[in-house]
Amino acid sequence: SGAHQLGQIYLTEKKDGEEFTADDQQVIETLAAYAAVAISNARLYKKLSKREKELTQRNEDLAQINDLASTLASSPDKNEIMEKSLACAVDYLSVDIGEFYICEDDRLILKRGLHRGKDEIPIFTREEFAFSEGLPGKCARTARPQIVSIVNGKTRYVNKELLLAGYQQVACFPMTAQRGVVGVLCVATRQVKPLNEMDTQLLSSIALWAATALENVRLNLQDRRLAVLEERERIGMDLHDGIIQSIYAVGLTLEHSRLLMTEDPVQSKKRIDQAIDDLNAVIRDIRAYILDLRPRQLHEERLIDGLQRLVAEFRANTFVETTLQGPPDGEVLHITDASAIALFHISQEALANIAKHARAHKVEIWLWSANDRVLLEIRDDGRGFDTQKVNLTLGHGLSNMQTRVHNVGGEVELTSEPGEGTTILAWVPVIQNQKAARG
């Protein structure tokens, strides 16, 4: 076959006893050529079949990893991440037992996190490893896979019950994330042959995806904790600068009125009346904080009904004159549930800020539709503020509003001037040729 010799053909003892002729030679050479082509094709077919099988297996592996990655990316629970990662390793690959050792609290200590497999036998005899101890510690320290045979029984800290149960190999794979190694994926298998390159790559990928998912959970927890701390600090500052100082001022007023009781009873009475008014103002401020901190949702109701409920609560807690004007009965606002909820929460945020900061006497809310959008306007006649210092006045309020409305494809605009009140205008897109669930 070409320049490559595949074999030779030997013929002897021609039936008629004659010598092989030139024609015989030509026939034999033709047969040899056909045989060579057939052998080459057979070998090529075998090679292509093997390659096709490898490609099919690789595609299945990639699909499995993609499914796992999609699942882990949306999971907020550490145990679920470890459970699904081990399930992929044990159910899909030739792995009989899988375990996670996780580095907790940024300490260089690995702690057993989860065990899954066909047997309940732990891979290692210890619950914890330092980065300098055992196979898991070496894997974490070097950030490289460690694969050993346990047949000789010399592997330290490996459970001897594995050998009695017929296990052959133990392997550890580093879980590397942005902050370094966050854990180790450990597996044990009964197969005599060493883990092949494909299995090793897949187990390494599973370890990496699990590490990334666990890192995301940790970062999300940190973000939430930071947001809670920032909110607590903001509330503390507001209480200290507002309500606590107001109560302190009431105390000074009452102390002064006590001194005036004998000298000037009329002024003393005025001071007491002023203290009562100030205490009522403090009560309104405390009610406003309660109104802001209570979680509220747009339950199975129209947006206008939810806004009416918010306005009623706001009016009852602040005694501020508040009006709401919306579409007439029967008119439906064609917006998605997400858009309705966004406008509801924007109203909630705006009313909470008015209660805490504006010192308003009147609040007006309008809800209407125009062309391709639904608009919400909230206006108060309070003290207003310099919009360049909006963060000092509203805290996270305006940022929350912008995030909510941007997520549904809308926009929000705030205008204010000192002594001129504040106006918030938000809009969301309507659903074209569809009927909205809420309006």
Side-chain angles (χ1 to χ4, degrees), residues 387-432:
T387 55
Q388 298 299 320
K389 301 177 181 179
V390 63
N391 288 332
L392 297 178
T393 307
L394 293 183
H396 301 291
L398 182 58
S399 176
N400 290 342
M401 294 180 196
Q402 290 172 335
T403 299
R404 291 184 188 282
V405 77
H406 288 168
N407 286 341
V408 295
E411 190 57 79
V412 62
E413 179 182 354
L414 182 145
T415 57
S416 183
E417 291 183 12
E420 299 296 329
T422 301
T423 299
I424 293 173
L425 178 63
W427 65 266
V428 295
V430 301
I431 304 174
Q432 298 294 335

mmCIF file of all heavy atoms in Angstrom, residues 387-432:
data_model
loop_
_atom_site.group_PDB
_atom_site.id
_atom_site.type_symbol
_atom_site.label_atom_id
_atom_site.label_comp_id
_atom_site.label_asym_id
_atom_site.label_seq_id
_atom_site.Cartn_x
_atom_site.Cartn_y
_atom_site.Cartn_z
ATOM 1 N N THR A 387 -29.140 67.641 44.982
ATOM 2 C CA THR A 387 -29.022 66.320 44.332
ATOM 3 C C THR A 387 -27.573 65.868 44.202
ATOM 4 O O THR A 387 -27.321 64.680 44.002
ATOM 5 C CB THR A 387 -29.666 66.353 42.928
ATOM 6 O OG1 THR A 387 -29.079 67.423 42.170
ATOM 7 C CG2 THR A 387 -31.167 66.549 43.036
ATOM 8 N N GLN A 388 -26.611 66.786 44.309
ATOM 9 C CA GLN A 388 -25.213 66.391 44.269
ATOM 10 C C GLN A 388 -24.807 65.622 45.522
ATOM 11 O O GLN A 388 -23.805 64.914 45.535
ATOM 12 C CB GLN A 388 -24.317 67.637 44.121
ATOM 13 C CG GLN A 388 -24.550 68.421 42.842
ATOM 14 C CD GLN A 388 -24.274 67.599 41.601
ATOM 15 O OE1 GLN A 388 -23.310 66.834 41.566
ATOM 16 N NE2 GLN A 388 -25.111 67.748 40.585
ATOM 17 N N LYS A 389 -25.625 65.771 46.586
ATOM 18 C CA LYS A 389 -25.339 65.069 47.841
ATOM 19 C C LYS A 389 -26.429 64.046 48.144
ATOM 20 O O LYS A 389 -26.736 63.760 49.282
ATOM 21 C CB LYS A 389 -25.252 66.059 48.993
ATOM 22 C CG LYS A 389 -24.169 67.115 48.795
ATOM 23 C CD LYS A 389 -24.173 68.122 49.929
ATOM 24 C CE LYS A 389 -23.101 69.183 49.720
ATOM 25 N NZ LYS A 389 -23.096 70.189 50.806
ATOM 26 N N VAL A 390 -26.988 63.489 47.068
ATOM 27 C CA VAL A 390 -28.139 62.600 47.215
ATOM 28 C C VAL A 390 -27.824 61.386 48.066
ATOM 29 O O VAL A 390 -28.658 60.920 48.837
ATOM 30 C CB VAL A 390 -28.665 62.171 45.828
ATOM 31 C CG1 VAL A 390 -27.602 61.375 45.082
ATOM 32 C CG2 VAL A 390 -29.930 61.351 45.953
ATOM 33 N N ASN A 391 -26.585 60.879 47.968
ATOM 34 C CA ASN A 391 -26.250 59.681 48.735
ATOM 35 C C ASN A 391 -26.279 59.941 50.230
ATOM 36 O O ASN A 391 -26.603 59.056 51.017
ATOM 37 C CB ASN A 391 -24.873 59.159 48.329
ATOM 38 C CG ASN A 391 -24.888 58.520 46.953
ATOM 39 O OD1 ASN A 391 -25.918 58.008 46.539
ATOM 40 N ND2 ASN A 391 -23.763 58.558 46.257
ATOM 41 N N LEU A 392 -25.932 61.174 50.639
ATOM 42 C CA LEU A 392 -25.984 61.497 52.059
ATOM 43 C C LEU A 392 -27.411 61.593 52.552
ATOM 44 O O LEU A 392 -27.696 61.415 53.733
ATOM 45 C CB LEU A 392 -25.251 62.825 52.315
ATOM 46 C CG LEU A 392 -23.750 62.835 51.986
ATOM 47 C CD1 LEU A 392 -23.177 64.220 52.232
ATOM 48 C CD2 LEU A 392 -23.017 61.791 52.806
ATOM 49 N N THR A 393 -28.343 61.866 51.650
ATOM 50 C CA THR A 393 -29.734 62.046 52.038
ATOM 51 C C THR A 393 -30.533 60.764 51.942
ATOM 52 O O THR A 393 -31.317 60.438 52.833
ATOM 53 C CB THR A 393 -30.389 63.119 51.132
ATOM 54 O OG1 THR A 393 -29.581 64.284 51.180
ATOM 55 C CG2 THR A 393 -31.789 63.444 51.604
ATOM 56 N N LEU A 394 -30.342 60.014 50.850
ATOM 57 C CA LEU A 394 -31.177 58.837 50.612
ATOM 58 C C LEU A 394 -30.501 57.514 50.936
ATOM 59 O O LEU A 394 -31.139 56.478 50.871
ATOM 60 C CB LEU A 394 -31.613 58.806 49.143
ATOM 61 C CG LEU A 394 -32.562 59.906 48.697
ATOM 62 C CD1 LEU A 394 -32.955 59.680 47.255
ATOM 63 C CD2 LEU A 394 -33.791 59.974 49.569
ATOM 64 N N GLY A 395 -29.204 57.539 51.258
ATOM 65 C CA GLY A 395 -28.539 56.267 51.535
ATOM 66 C C GLY A 395 -28.578 55.377 50.315
ATOM 67 O O GLY A 395 -28.225 55.769 49.208
ATOM 68 N N HIS A 396 -29.061 54.149 50.507
ATOM 69 C CA HIS A 396 -29.130 53.195 49.395
ATOM 70 C C HIS A 396 -30.443 53.319 48.624
ATOM 71 O O HIS A 396 -30.673 52.557 47.682
ATOM 72 C CB HIS A 396 -29.004 51.768 49.931
ATOM 73 C CG HIS A 396 -27.729 51.533 50.683
ATOM 74 N ND1 HIS A 396 -26.512 51.514 50.071
ATOM 75 C CD2 HIS A 396 -27.497 51.327 52.007
ATOM 76 C CE1 HIS A 396 -25.574 51.284 50.969
ATOM 77 N NE2 HIS A 396 -26.139 51.171 52.146
ATOM 78 N N GLY A 397 -31.295 54.236 49.006
ATOM 79 C CA GLY A 397 -32.634 54.298 48.436
ATOM 80 C C GLY A 397 -32.657 54.471 46.940
ATOM 81 O O GLY A 397 -33.269 53.679 46.214
ATOM 82 N N LEU A 398 -31.995 55.524 46.420
ATOM 83 C CA LEU A 398 -32.023 55.786 44.986
ATOM 84 C C LEU A 398 -31.335 54.669 44.218
ATOM 85 O O LEU A 398 -31.796 54.257 43.145
ATOM 86 C CB LEU A 398 -31.356 57.125 44.680
ATOM 87 C CG LEU A 398 -31.363 57.536 43.196
ATOM 88 C CD1 LEU A 398 -32.775 57.608 42.670
ATOM 89 C CD2 LEU A 398 -30.642 58.862 43.000
ATOM 90 N N SER A 399 -30.236 54.145 44.768
ATOM 91 C CA SER A 399 -29.551 53.030 44.109
ATOM 92 C C SER A 399 -30.473 51.822 43.984
ATOM 93 O O SER A 399 -30.508 51.161 42.942
ATOM 94 C CB SER A 399 -28.294 52.657 44.898
ATOM 95 O OG SER A 399 -27.670 51.529 44.347
ATOM 96 N N ASN A 400 -31.232 51.533 45.034
ATOM 97 C CA ASN A 400 -32.182 50.422 44.991
ATOM 98 C C ASN A 400 -33.239 50.650 43.917
ATOM 99 O O ASN A 400 -33.618 49.734 43.178
ATOM 100 C CB ASN A 400 -32.848 50.234 46.344
ATOM 101 C CG ASN A 400 -31.889 49.690 47.383
ATOM 102 O OD1 ASN A 400 -30.841 49.150 47.047
ATOM 103 N ND2 ASN A 400 -32.233 49.851 48.647
ATOM 104 N N MET A 401 -33.759 51.876 43.844
ATOM 105 C CA MET A 401 -34.765 52.197 42.831
ATOM 106 C C MET A 401 -34.213 51.985 41.430
ATOM 107 O O MET A 401 -34.865 51.383 40.563
ATOM 108 C CB MET A 401 -35.213 53.652 42.975
ATOM 109 C CG MET A 401 -35.957 53.983 44.259
ATOM 110 S SD MET A 401 -36.425 55.732 44.273
ATOM 111 C CE MET A 401 -36.827 55.957 46.009
ATOM 112 N N GLN A 402 -33.011 52.491 41.187
ATOM 113 C CA GLN A 402 -32.410 52.359 39.855
ATOM 114 C C GLN A 402 -32.201 50.900 39.488
ATOM 115 O O GLN A 402 -32.478 50.481 38.361
ATOM 116 C CB GLN A 402 -31.087 53.128 39.819
ATOM 117 C CG GLN A 402 -31.262 54.635 39.876
ATOM 118 C CD GLN A 402 -29.936 55.362 40.024
ATOM 119 O OE1 GLN A 402 -28.965 54.796 40.522
ATOM 120 N NE2 GLN A 402 -29.908 56.612 39.603
ATOM 121 N N THR A 403 -31.726 50.120 40.429
ATOM 122 C CA THR A 403 -31.486 48.703 40.159
ATOM 123 C C THR A 403 -32.785 47.998 39.806
ATOM 124 O O THR A 403 -32.849 47.217 38.844
ATOM 125 C CB THR A 403 -30.840 48.027 41.376
ATOM 126 O OG1 THR A 403 -29.583 48.656 41.650
ATOM 127 C CG2 THR A 403 -30.618 46.545 41.128
ATOM 128 N N ARG A 404 -33.840 48.248 40.584
ATOM 129 C CA ARG A 404 -35.121 47.582 40.356
ATOM 130 C C ARG A 404 -35.687 47.912 38.975
ATOM 131 O O ARG A 404 -36.114 47.024 38.237
ATOM 132 C CB ARG A 404 -36.125 47.984 41.436
ATOM 133 C CG ARG A 404 -35.803 47.445 42.814
ATOM 134 C CD ARG A 404 -36.912 47.821 43.798
ATOM 135 N NE ARG A 404 -36.580 47.493 45.166
ATOM 136 C CZ ARG A 404 -36.647 46.272 45.685
ATOM 137 N NH1 ARG A 404 -37.028 45.276 44.928
ATOM 138 N NH2 ARG A 404 -36.328 46.056 46.941
ATOM 139 N N VAL A 405 -35.686 49.182 38.629
ATOM 140 C CA VAL A 405 -36.336 49.571 37.376
ATOM 141 C C VAL A 405 -35.476 49.223 36.171
ATOM 142 O O VAL A 405 -35.984 48.879 35.100
ATOM 143 C CB VAL A 405 -36.684 51.078 37.407
ATOM 144 C CG1 VAL A 405 -35.473 51.945 37.156
ATOM 145 C CG2 VAL A 405 -37.793 51.406 36.427
ATOM 146 N N HIS A 406 -34.144 49.254 36.324
ATOM 147 C CA HIS A 406 -33.266 48.865 35.213
ATOM 148 C C HIS A 406 -33.407 47.384 34.898
ATOM 149 O O HIS A 406 -33.287 46.977 33.735
ATOM 150 C CB HIS A 406 -31.811 49.189 35.554
ATOM 151 C CG HIS A 406 -31.504 50.655 35.535
ATOM 152 N ND1 HIS A 406 -30.341 51.203 36.037
ATOM 153 C CD2 HIS A 406 -32.236 51.707 35.078
ATOM 154 C CE1 HIS A 406 -30.361 52.512 35.879
ATOM 155 N NE2 HIS A 406 -31.494 52.848 35.309
ATOM 156 N N ASN A 407 -33.667 46.588 35.918
ATOM 157 C CA ASN A 407 -33.813 45.143 35.708
ATOM 158 C C ASN A 407 -35.018 44.797 34.841
ATOM 159 O O ASN A 407 -35.078 43.703 34.266
ATOM 160 C CB ASN A 407 -33.923 44.422 37.054
ATOM 161 C CG ASN A 407 -32.593 44.358 37.783
ATOM 162 O OD1 ASN A 407 -31.538 44.528 37.178
ATOM 163 N ND2 ASN A 407 -32.633 44.118 39.083
ATOM 164 N N VAL A 408 -35.994 45.681 34.754
ATOM 165 C CA VAL A 408 -37.185 45.413 33.931
ATOM 166 C C VAL A 408 -37.216 46.303 32.692
ATOM 167 O O VAL A 408 -38.244 46.407 32.024
ATOM 168 C CB VAL A 408 -38.482 45.597 34.760
ATOM 169 C CG1 VAL A 408 -38.556 44.572 35.863
ATOM 170 C CG2 VAL A 408 -38.598 47.004 35.335
ATOM 171 N N GLY A 409 -36.080 46.958 32.389
ATOM 172 C CA GLY A 409 -35.988 47.740 31.160
ATOM 173 C C GLY A 409 -36.525 49.143 31.255
ATOM 174 O O GLY A 409 -36.814 49.766 30.224
ATOM 175 N N GLY A 410 -36.663 49.674 32.469
ATOM 176 C CA GLY A 410 -37.196 51.023 32.644
ATOM 177 C C GLY A 410 -36.143 52.012 33.103
ATOM 178 O O GLY A 410 -34.945 51.764 33.005
ATOM 179 N N GLU A 411 -36.614 53.136 33.630
ATOM 180 C CA GLU A 411 -35.712 54.199 34.074
ATOM 181 C C GLU A 411 -36.364 54.968 35.207
ATOM 182 O O GLU A 411 -37.599 54.959 35.360
ATOM 183 C CB GLU A 411 -35.404 55.133 32.901
ATOM 184 C CG GLU A 411 -34.298 56.142 33.167
ATOM 185 C CD GLU A 411 -32.992 55.488 33.565
ATOM 186 O OE1 GLU A 411 -32.270 54.992 32.687
ATOM 187 O OE2 GLU A 411 -32.728 55.471 34.781
ATOM 188 N N VAL A 412 -35.549 55.623 36.024
ATOM 189 C CA VAL A 412 -36.054 56.453 37.115
ATOM 190 C C VAL A 412 -35.253 57.752 37.151
ATOM 191 O O VAL A 412 -34.052 57.762 36.873
ATOM 192 C CB VAL A 412 -35.955 55.708 38.474
ATOM 193 C CG1 VAL A 412 -34.511 55.396 38.825
ATOM 194 C CG2 VAL A 412 -36.614 56.525 39.580
ATOM 195 N N GLU A 413 -35.942 58.839 37.448
ATOM 196 C CA GLU A 413 -35.307 60.156 37.498
ATOM 197 C C GLU A 413 -35.738 60.871 38.774
ATOM 198 O O GLU A 413 -36.911 60.853 39.142
ATOM 199 C CB GLU A 413 -35.703 60.981 36.277
ATOM 200 C CG GLU A 413 -35.102 62.384 36.260
ATOM 201 C CD GLU A 413 -35.561 63.192 35.065
ATOM 202 O OE1 GLU A 413 -36.251 62.608 34.208
ATOM 203 O OE2 GLU A 413 -35.260 64.398 35.008
ATOM 204 N N LEU A 414 -34.784 61.479 39.457
ATOM 205 C CA LEU A 414 -35.070 62.216 40.689
ATOM 206 C C LEU A 414 -34.684 63.672 40.508
ATOM 207 O O LEU A 414 -33.590 63.987 40.033
ATOM 208 C CB LEU A 414 -34.291 61.603 41.854
ATOM 209 C CG LEU A 414 -34.511 62.242 43.232
ATOM 210 C CD1 LEU A 414 -34.460 61.183 44.317
ATOM 211 C CD2 LEU A 414 -33.448 63.308 43.519
ATOM 212 N N THR A 415 -35.594 64.580 40.873
ATOM 213 C CA THR A 415 -35.313 66.015 40.859
ATOM 214 C C THR A 415 -35.665 66.601 42.210
ATOM 215 O O THR A 415 -36.677 66.244 42.814
ATOM 216 C CB THR A 415 -36.120 66.737 39.766
ATOM 217 O OG1 THR A 415 -37.517 66.484 39.965
ATOM 218 C CG2 THR A 415 -35.720 66.245 38.391
ATOM 219 N N SER A 416 -34.804 67.505 42.704
ATOM 220 C CA SER A 416 -35.042 68.115 44.008
ATOM 221 C C SER A 416 -34.193 69.363 44.157
ATOM 222 O O SER A 416 -33.113 69.470 43.550
ATOM 223 C CB SER A 416 -34.708 67.119 45.126
ATOM 224 O OG SER A 416 -34.990 67.680 46.396
ATOM 225 N N GLU A 417 -34.688 70.287 44.946
ATOM 226 C CA GLU A 417 -33.942 71.486 45.312
ATOM 227 C C GLU A 417 -34.237 71.802 46.765
ATOM 228 O O GLU A 417 -35.353 71.545 47.246
ATOM 229 C CB GLU A 417 -34.334 72.683 44.437
ATOM 230 C CG GLU A 417 -33.896 72.558 42.983
ATOM 231 C CD GLU A 417 -34.240 73.811 42.190
ATOM 232 O OE1 GLU A 417 -34.607 74.829 42.838
ATOM 233 O OE2 GLU A 417 -34.174 73.770 40.954
ATOM 234 N N PRO A 418 -33.256 72.320 47.494
ATOM 235 C CA PRO A 418 -33.513 72.673 48.895
ATOM 236 C C PRO A 418 -34.712 73.604 49.038
ATOM 237 O O PRO A 418 -34.811 74.624 48.367
ATOM 238 C CB PRO A 418 -32.210 73.359 49.316
ATOM 239 C CG PRO A 418 -31.166 72.781 48.407
ATOM 240 C CD PRO A 418 -31.863 72.557 47.105
ATOM 241 N N GLY A 419 -35.669 73.216 49.870
ATOM 242 C CA GLY A 419 -36.857 74.018 50.114
ATOM 243 C C GLY A 419 -37.942 73.876 49.076
ATOM 244 O O GLY A 419 -39.013 74.486 49.216
ATOM 245 N N GLU A 420 -37.716 73.080 48.025
ATOM 246 C CA GLU A 420 -38.676 72.967 46.923
ATOM 247 C C GLU A 420 -39.276 71.569 46.788
ATOM 248 O O GLU A 420 -39.971 71.281 45.816
ATOM 249 C CB GLU A 420 -38.001 73.350 45.599
ATOM 250 C CG GLU A 420 -37.482 74.770 45.538
ATOM 251 C CD GLU A 420 -38.612 75.799 45.641
ATOM 252 O OE1 GLU A 420 -39.730 75.494 45.192
ATOM 253 O OE2 GLU A 420 -38.363 76.891 46.175
ATOM 254 N N GLY A 421 -39.005 70.693 47.723
ATOM 255 C CA GLY A 421 -39.560 69.350 47.641
ATOM 256 C C GLY A 421 -38.792 68.452 46.695
ATOM 257 O O GLY A 421 -37.757 68.830 46.141
ATOM 258 N N THR A 422 -39.313 67.239 46.486
ATOM 259 C CA THR A 422 -38.641 66.225 45.681
ATOM 260 C C THR A 422 -39.657 65.522 44.780
ATOM 261 O O THR A 422 -40.796 65.282 45.193
ATOM 262 C CB THR A 422 -37.955 65.173 46.583
ATOM 263 O OG1 THR A 422 -37.009 65.837 47.429
ATOM 264 C CG2 THR A 422 -37.243 64.106 45.763
ATOM 265 N N THR A 423 -39.252 65.201 43.557
ATOM 266 C CA THR A 423 -40.088 64.461 42.624
ATOM 267 C C THR A 423 -39.310 63.252 42.098
ATOM 268 O O THR A 423 -38.156 63.383 41.686
ATOM 269 C CB THR A 423 -40.521 65.341 41.443
ATOM 270 O OG1 THR A 423 -41.289 66.451 41.931
ATOM 271 C CG2 THR A 423 -41.381 64.537 40.462
ATOM 272 N N ILE A 424 -39.962 62.111 42.135
ATOM 273 C CA ILE A 424 -39.393 60.889 41.569
ATOM 274 C C ILE A 424 -40.306 60.434 40.440
ATOM 275 O O ILE A 424 -41.509 60.254 40.637
ATOM 276 C CB ILE A 424 -39.276 59.782 42.633
ATOM 277 C CG1 ILE A 424 -38.248 60.175 43.698
ATOM 278 C CG2 ILE A 424 -38.893 58.451 41.990
ATOM 279 C CD1 ILE A 424 -38.178 59.234 44.858
ATOM 280 N N LEU A 425 -39.729 60.259 39.249
ATOM 281 C CA LEU A 425 -40.485 59.819 38.081
ATOM 282 C C LEU A 425 -39.856 58.524 37.570
ATOM 283 O O LEU A 425 -38.673 58.495 37.225
ATOM 284 C CB LEU A 425 -40.462 60.874 36.983
ATOM 285 C CG LEU A 425 -41.186 60.504 35.678
ATOM 286 C CD1 LEU A 425 -42.682 60.293 35.933
ATOM 287 C CD2 LEU A 425 -40.973 61.572 34.615
ATOM 288 N N ALA A 426 -40.648 57.474 37.538
ATOM 289 C CA ALA A 426 -40.168 56.170 37.052
ATOM 290 C C ALA A 426 -41.098 55.675 35.955
ATOM 291 O O ALA A 426 -42.294 55.956 35.963
ATOM 292 C CB ALA A 426 -40.123 55.156 38.193
ATOM 293 N N TRP A 427 -40.533 54.919 35.004
ATOM 294 C CA TRP A 427 -41.370 54.328 33.971
ATOM 295 C C TRP A 427 -40.864 52.921 33.654
ATOM 296 O O TRP A 427 -39.679 52.610 33.829
ATOM 297 C CB TRP A 427 -41.388 55.172 32.695
ATOM 298 C CG TRP A 427 -40.072 55.300 31.967
ATOM 299 C CD1 TRP A 427 -39.156 56.299 32.095
ATOM 300 C CD2 TRP A 427 -39.535 54.384 31.003
ATOM 301 N NE1 TRP A 427 -38.072 56.078 31.276
ATOM 302 C CE2 TRP A 427 -38.281 54.909 30.593
ATOM 303 C CE3 TRP A 427 -39.979 53.192 30.441
ATOM 304 C CZ2 TRP A 427 -37.475 54.284 29.658
ATOM 305 C CZ3 TRP A 427 -39.176 52.547 29.513
ATOM 306 C CH2 TRP A 427 -37.947 53.086 29.122
ATOM 307 N N VAL A 428 -41.791 52.083 33.194
ATOM 308 C CA VAL A 428 -41.468 50.718 32.756
ATOM 309 C C VAL A 428 -42.162 50.477 31.423
ATOM 310 O O VAL A 428 -43.191 51.080 31.134
ATOM 311 C CB VAL A 428 -41.925 49.659 33.793
ATOM 312 C CG1 VAL A 428 -41.160 49.815 35.092
ATOM 313 C CG2 VAL A 428 -43.424 49.735 34.034
ATOM 314 N N PRO A 429 -41.610 49.597 30.586
ATOM 315 C CA PRO A 429 -42.232 49.343 29.266
ATOM 316 C C PRO A 429 -43.500 48.513 29.405
ATOM 317 O O PRO A 429 -43.651 47.727 30.341
ATOM 318 C CB PRO A 429 -41.147 48.579 28.512
ATOM 319 C CG PRO A 429 -40.321 47.921 29.565
ATOM 320 C CD PRO A 429 -40.338 48.861 30.740
ATOM 321 N N VAL A 430 -44.408 48.689 28.459
ATOM 322 C CA VAL A 430 -45.639 47.901 28.440
ATOM 323 C C VAL A 430 -45.409 46.635 27.627
ATOM 324 O O VAL A 430 -44.453 46.524 26.859
ATOM 325 C CB VAL A 430 -46.818 48.696 27.828
ATOM 326 C CG1 VAL A 430 -47.068 49.961 28.617
ATOM 327 C CG2 VAL A 430 -46.548 49.017 26.361
ATOM 328 N N ILE A 431 -46.303 45.663 27.795
ATOM 329 C CA ILE A 431 -46.268 44.430 27.001
ATOM 330 C C ILE A 431 -47.046 44.681 25.721
ATOM 331 O O ILE A 431 -48.223 45.047 25.765
ATOM 332 C CB ILE A 431 -46.898 43.260 27.771
ATOM 333 C CG1 ILE A 431 -46.192 43.074 29.114
ATOM 334 C CG2 ILE A 431 -46.835 41.986 26.953
ATOM 335 C CD1 ILE A 431 -46.846 42.030 29.983
ATOM 336 N N GLN A 432 -46.396 44.473 24.595
ATOM 337 C CA GLN A 432 -47.048 44.711 23.317
ATOM 338 C C GLN A 432 -47.976 43.545 22.973
ATOM 339 O O GLN A 432 -47.551 42.385 22.974
ATOM 340 C CB GLN A 432 -46.006 44.892 22.212
ATOM 341 C CG GLN A 432 -45.087 46.085 22.431
ATOM 342 C CD GLN A 432 -45.825 47.409 22.365
ATOM 343 O OE1 GLN A 432 -46.868 47.517 21.726
ATOM 344 N NE2 GLN A 432 -45.280 48.419 23.035
#
